[in-house]
Amino acid sequence: MSAVPASLRPVGGTVRDISASLRPWLAASEAEPLVVRTSGSTGIPKNVLLSAPAIRFSAEASLLRLGGPGQWVLALPVHYVAGLQVLVRSYLAGHPVVALEEYDDLAAATNVLSASRRYLACVPTQLRRWLSDSSSRTSLTRFDAVLVGGAALGRTLQEAATGADVRVVSTYGMTETCGGCVYDGTPLDGVAVVVDAERRIRLAGPMLFDGYAGEPDRTADVLRDGWLVTPDLGLFDLEGRLVVSGRADDVVKSGGVGVPLSAVENRLAAMPEIDEVAVLAAPDAEWGVRVVAVAVASRRIDLGAVRDFVSDVQPRAWAPRELHLVDRLPRLASGKVDRELLVRSLQSAS
């Protein structure tokens, strides 16, 4: 079995460096897994082992679902799996990737695309910013699909994109599945999805990771009988599409009531006045913990309005007891909200 180049274990370096290492690694008949280090947005970072067959399967299944190979604009960090997969899909398609970082803006990068089919992958924050800029918004309409992942797309943002004639595809997956493996609630061909008795989402298929480097116990905790037991809770809607409803590890006790933070966050993401939101728990002498919303708002809102909006469809006890309006949410390089930093900020302010 051939060794893995240093730039792939863990994946790191420039786009050109990683691309140069990726091609021979993918083409090798046998090669050791590469390593993608997770961002650690909700805990300790992990070194995820991904094999070449798993990565190729994921990329090929993605291209099949999207309608065929095309040319990609790379707008995500390549040392995370979403950006890495843009390079892989480009290699399999035989088209050069267009790295956004080498151009002034999205419009300039889009203008150099030459293939008949065009694709883009991004996180919700990027999509929101591009939609607010007329030139970028026009560029978005030139893509056959805009994949959005890394965080919940949110109904308001999805409706804004659809209203602007942008063909968005909401993706669900993680580093352990070589990136997105469920598109718009439907698994890619060859991917199996079940929701177990505890409402935990389980995934299976050729795209699964080999394990966490040097951590067999941690691997065994999540890889069981060929299934990845995710930390996410879900359900299937009336049309059989997967709906991610929260995380199994984000339920906190506030005043003796269990509050699923991600469910509250998903509800607030649909509030018209809110552009971005994170819902957290802070220590509280009376309640044990209190639910706190940190939001970027397009119009001025107060705590009462936020509590009423949540209470319209969820128990009043779930509604945030504190609201912070900010200009932006801190984010990791992966595009995910830096929750650890937000929690520390709340603690230092109390």
Side-chain angles (χ1 to χ4, degrees):
M1 184 171 289
S2 58
V4 179
S7 60
L8 299 182
R9 200 171 173 97
V11 176
T14 68
V15 172
R16 296 184 188 280
D17 288 342
I18 295 174
S19 294
S21 299
L22 197 59
R23 292 189 185 97
W25 179 78
L26 284 167
S29 57
E30 290 187 6
E32 295 178 0
L34 56 69
V35 174
V36 175
R37 188 169 175 80
T38 68
S39 61
S41 60
T42 57
I44 301 172
K46 297 165 288 191
N47 291 314
V48 182
L49 295 167
L50 300 177
S51 70
I55 287 180
R56 280 197 300 267
F57 169 85
S58 173
E60 290 167 354
S62 172
L63 293 174
L64 180 64
R65 177 62 56 84
L66 294 175
Q71 192 170 17
W72 290 76
V73 168
L74 173 64
L76 297 167
V78 288
H79 56 281
Y80 291 124
V81 72
L84 181 70
Q85 279 289 33
V86 170
L87 294 184
V88 177
R89 296 178 195 126
S90 299
Y91 168 71
L92 294 178
H95 294 297
V97 70
V98 176
L100 181 60
E101 65 183 25
E102 297 177 1
Y103 296 86
D104 291 336
D105 52 26
L106 181 63
T110 305
N111 285 337
V112 304
L113 295 172
S114 57
S116 58
R117 296 192 67 80
R118 302 169 179 189
Y119 300 118
L120 172 68
C122 65
V123 296
T125 299
Q126 291 173 304
L127 178 61
R128 184 178 292 104
R129 290 171 181 168
W130 289 329
L131 286 172
S132 67
D133 174 75
S134 60
S135 177
S136 297
R137 186 168 59 251
T138 298
S139 297
L140 289 172
T141 65
R142 299 174 61 187
F143 290 94
D144 292 275
V146 177
L147 275 60
V148 186
L153 177 57
R155 186 179 66 188
T156 301
L157 182 57
Q158 185 162 24
E159 290 175 349
T162 302
D165 293 324
V166 179
R167 292 171 287 277
V168 295
V169 176
S170 177
T171 70
Y172 169 71
M174 54 210 67
T175 307
E176 291 87 343
T177 61
C178 293
C181 61
V182 178
Y183 284 11
D184 288 333
T186 302
L188 299 179
D189 292 353
V191 175
V193 181
V194 299
V195 176
D196 65 21
E198 297 176 344
R199 298 195 298 122
R200 292 278 285 267
I201 297 172
R202 297 186 179 219
L203 304 167
M207 75 298 171
L208 288 186
F209 74 132
D210 284 6
Y212 299 121
E215 298 188 88
D217 291 343
R218 197 177 192 185
T219 301
D221 280 343
V222 299
L223 272 183
R224 305 176 193 171
D225 300 322
W227 290 86
L228 172 67
V229 182
T230 77
D232 299 311
L233 303 175
L235 52 87
F236 293 103
D237 66 14
L238 294 177
E239 297 181 359
R241 291 187 297 255
L242 178 69
V243 177
V244 181
S245 58
R247 288 177 61 94
D249 57 1
D250 77 345
V251 178
V252 300
K253 287 285 188 178
S254 180
V257 175
V259 181
L261 299 179
S262 57
V264 179
E265 185 171 292
N266 289 340
R267 171 59 181 165
L268 286 177
M271 191 171 183
E273 295 85 355
I274 290 180
D275 291 334
E276 299 178 80
V277 64
V279 175
L280 313 163
D284 187 275
E286 180 181 358
W287 299 97
V289 298
R290 65 185 180 280
V291 178
V292 180
V294 183
V296 179
S298 58
R299 297 190 296 275
R300 190 71 182 179
I301 54 174
D302 58 24
L303 179 60
V306 165
R307 287 180 57 79
D308 288 344
F309 188 81
V310 170
S311 303
D312 281 345
V313 298
Q314 295 173 339
R316 185 76 176 179
W318 291 11
R321 298 184 180 278
E322 187 175 323
L323 171 67
H324 294 274
L325 297 177
V326 296
D327 293 331
R328 64 181 183 85
L329 294 177
R331 294 188 178 272
L332 300 162
S334 62
K336 295 181 179 180
V337 173
D338 190 340
R339 295 181 181 277
E340 298 291 326
L341 179 57
L342 276 178
V343 169
R344 291 198 301 271
S345 299
L346 289 175
Q347 290 172 340
S348 62
S350 61

